[in-house]
Amino acid sequence: MTFRKPMFKPFGQIANQLRLPMPSEILIALASTLIALLIACGLYTWLALANLSLIFLTAVLASAVLAGSYAALLCAVLGFLTFNFCFTVPHFSLAVEEQEQLLTLLFFLLVALVVGKLAGDSRQRLLELSAARLAEEQERLRSALLSSVSHDLRTPLASIIGAASSLRTLDAQLSQQDRFALLDGVLSESERLNRYIQNLLDMTRLGHGDMKIERDWVAFDDLVASARKRLGSALEGFQVEQHWSKELPLLYVHPALIEQALVNVLENAARFSPPNGHITIEAQCRDDKRAGDPSILLFSVTDQGPGIPEALRERVFDMFVTGNDGDRSLHGSGLGLAICRGMLGAHAGQIHASPGPDNVGTRITMTLPLSAPSKDAENEH
């Protein structure tokens, strides 16, 4: 009696794998068979019986690609019955008078079952491979996020804790100037920490589609002034030059989002420019009549840093893309420019990187439409 369990175990596994076809699988199998029937009827007078069977075999492959093995096997059986009922002699009967036609039918059923199963299994493996790649990408992003958080949160926190500890334990030994220096450090690192947390929140909202575009008319001068004020001490020691006409038209944008994009680009420029270096902000209007686009505002931020390698100039706007050289080094979190692209894209704008003048530094160029979007465009965002 002990031999019964291993003998029936394979049958139990097969039974566990069996299930009824889902409605979508049945629908795809029926639709594929019906389309094959219509095509075969149209070509009945032109093709031999064996060639007509290839049309139903194609329907089996289509079912396998669209819905998997179950739909393919169901389509093979339906195709066999339909092919027999409509195209073998006698017509409109499941009986088969000619031996050659019977062999054609049986050969079609065998090939359809095998091909449908193989195609369905291949589709399943491709889906599993795609799922594995997606899981790998998510794990990579998770690891990059953890690495970014561990660096960009712990570094300013360590500075804040160190300054606060010095103020508490060495208060009697510190001069007024030393106290102000430590407090300035606490304030600067707190602002840096706040900007990083804001970037994380903005990227989360962009990724989930929760970013609402509440537009208003605003002057470009006001956006730049607000961005520079928010950066505060981060721009100290740099010569920030501004070049644009005083008659620039107003922008119809979400002011806070465009301001945040400017903050990210300016902070990136300050991080990699040398001490006492130049940071240049330029803006001008431009008409792109060749593409049929409305007037746009083109503005840029140019630094004097080591620059971005040509191979990375497109990838720097992806999340967590960092490099050992250029404006995206290990000191960056890989979020700032990605957020800029998302925020500008939500306004139908663009952003790209290029070398600075004489191939020194990096120029980040951004564009925004000047005209107010239509209601349809608003609904799309």
Side-chain angles (χ1 to χ4, degrees):
M1 298 298 290
T2 57
F3 65 92
R4 291 184 179 178
K5 184 175 180 180
M7 181 177 69
F8 287 103
K9 185 176 181 180
F11 295 99
Q13 293 177 345
I14 294 176
N16 291 332
Q17 295 176 354
L18 295 177
R19 62 172 176 83
L20 292 175
M22 294 186 297
S24 60
E25 295 171 334
I26 297 175
L27 182 62
I28 289 176
L30 288 173
S32 300
T33 304
L34 178 60
I35 294 173
L37 175 60
L38 294 175
I39 296 175
C41 288
L43 299 176
Y44 178 64
T45 57
W46 299 86
L47 297 178
L49 189 67
N51 293 332
L52 287 176
S53 67
L54 297 179
I55 299 175
F56 289 92
L57 186 60
T58 303
V60 174
L61 287 173
S63 298
V65 172
L66 294 174
S69 299
Y70 271 76
L73 298 179
L74 180 59
C75 185
V77 174
L78 291 174
F80 170 78
L81 296 175
T82 304
F83 188 53
N84 183 11
F85 187 77
C86 297
F87 298 104
T88 60
V89 180
H91 295 304
F92 309 113
S93 171
L94 294 179
V96 182
E97 291 183 354
E98 299 181 10
Q99 183 178 4
E100 181 180 353
Q101 293 185 350
L102 178 61
L103 291 175
T104 300
L105 274 173
L106 293 177
F107 183 74
F108 162 76
L109 180 61
L110 177 62
V111 173
L113 291 174
V114 173
V115 169
K117 185 68 169 65
L118 292 176
D121 290 346
S122 298
R123 174 183 180 272
Q124 183 62 31
R125 284 195 292 270
L126 286 175
L127 291 176
E128 292 174 353
L129 180 61
S130 298
R133 288 178 177 175
L134 179 60
E136 182 180 354
E137 180 68 13
Q138 290 176 340
E139 178 63 23
R140 185 186 71 84
L141 290 177
R142 187 185 70 86
S143 299
L145 177 60
L146 290 176
S147 176
S148 173
V149 169
S150 65
H151 176 272
D152 289 271
L153 288 183
R154 292 178 62 185
T155 300
L157 281 175
S159 299
I160 293 171
I161 292 172
S165 176
S166 298
L167 284 170
R168 181 177 181 180
T169 58
L170 303 175
D171 181 68
Q173 305 173 27
L174 295 175
S175 65
Q176 189 72 11
Q177 185 178 359
D178 293 334
R179 292 191 185 92
F180 281 146
L182 289 172
L183 288 173
D184 286 341
V186 170
L187 181 60
S188 175
E189 292 300 322
S190 298
E191 291 172 346
R192 174 184 170 190
L193 185 60
N194 180 65
R195 288 194 297 270
Y196 180 72
I197 293 174
Q198 184 63 46
N199 281 343
L200 287 176
L201 294 175
D202 289 341
M203 183 54 69
T204 301
R205 291 162 63 194
L206 283 170
H208 289 83
D210 296 332
M211 186 75 77
K212 295 182 179 180
I213 308 300
E214 299 176 355
R215 297 176 183 261
D216 196 3
W217 294 101
V218 63
F220 182 72
D221 305 64
D222 295 337
L223 291 174
V224 174
S226 298
R228 293 185 61 177
K229 183 178 180 181
R230 282 182 55 189
L231 285 170
S233 59
L235 293 179
E236 289 183 0
F238 296 100
Q239 302 180 43
V240 181
E241 300 179 1
Q242 301 181 173
H243 302 289
W244 61 77
S245 170
K246 295 181 179 180
E247 298 179 355
L248 284 179
L250 297 176
L251 291 169
Y252 189 61
V253 296
H254 190 307
L257 298 187
I258 303 304
E259 178 187 318
Q260 183 62 45
L262 277 169
V263 167
N264 290 350
V265 175
L266 284 170
E267 184 181 23
N268 197 66
R271 181 183 297 123
F272 296 99
S273 290
N276 300 318
H278 286 76
I279 297 175
T280 306
I281 308 172
E282 299 175 283
Q284 61 178 321
C285 294
R286 190 183 68 181
D287 294 327
D288 195 354
K289 297 180 179 179
R290 292 174 299 175
D293 290 336
S295 297
I296 60 174
L297 177 69
L298 184 149
F299 55 105
S300 63
V301 175
T302 306
D303 62 43
Q304 293 182 321
I308 301 175
E310 184 176 0
L312 289 177
R313 286 174 194 162
E314 292 297 329
R315 296 183 58 234
V316 290
F317 299 103
D318 295 334
M319 281 199 305
F320 303 117
V321 174
T322 59
N324 292 328
D325 299 316
D327 285 335
R328 300 301 301 275
S329 75
L330 294 177
H331 301 289
S333 64
L335 285 175
L337 293 182
I339 291 173
C340 292
R341 183 175 66 175
M343 290 177 172
L344 291 167
H347 292 80
Q350 297 180 347
I351 182 171
H352 66 271
S354 60
D358 300 325
N359 289 322
V360 176
T362 297
R363 172 177 287 148
I364 301 296
T365 303
M366 296 156 277
T367 62
L368 283 172
L370 289 173
S371 59
S374 63
K375 292 184 179 180
D376 293 337
E378 283 284 305
N379 293 333
E380 290 178 3
H381 294 296

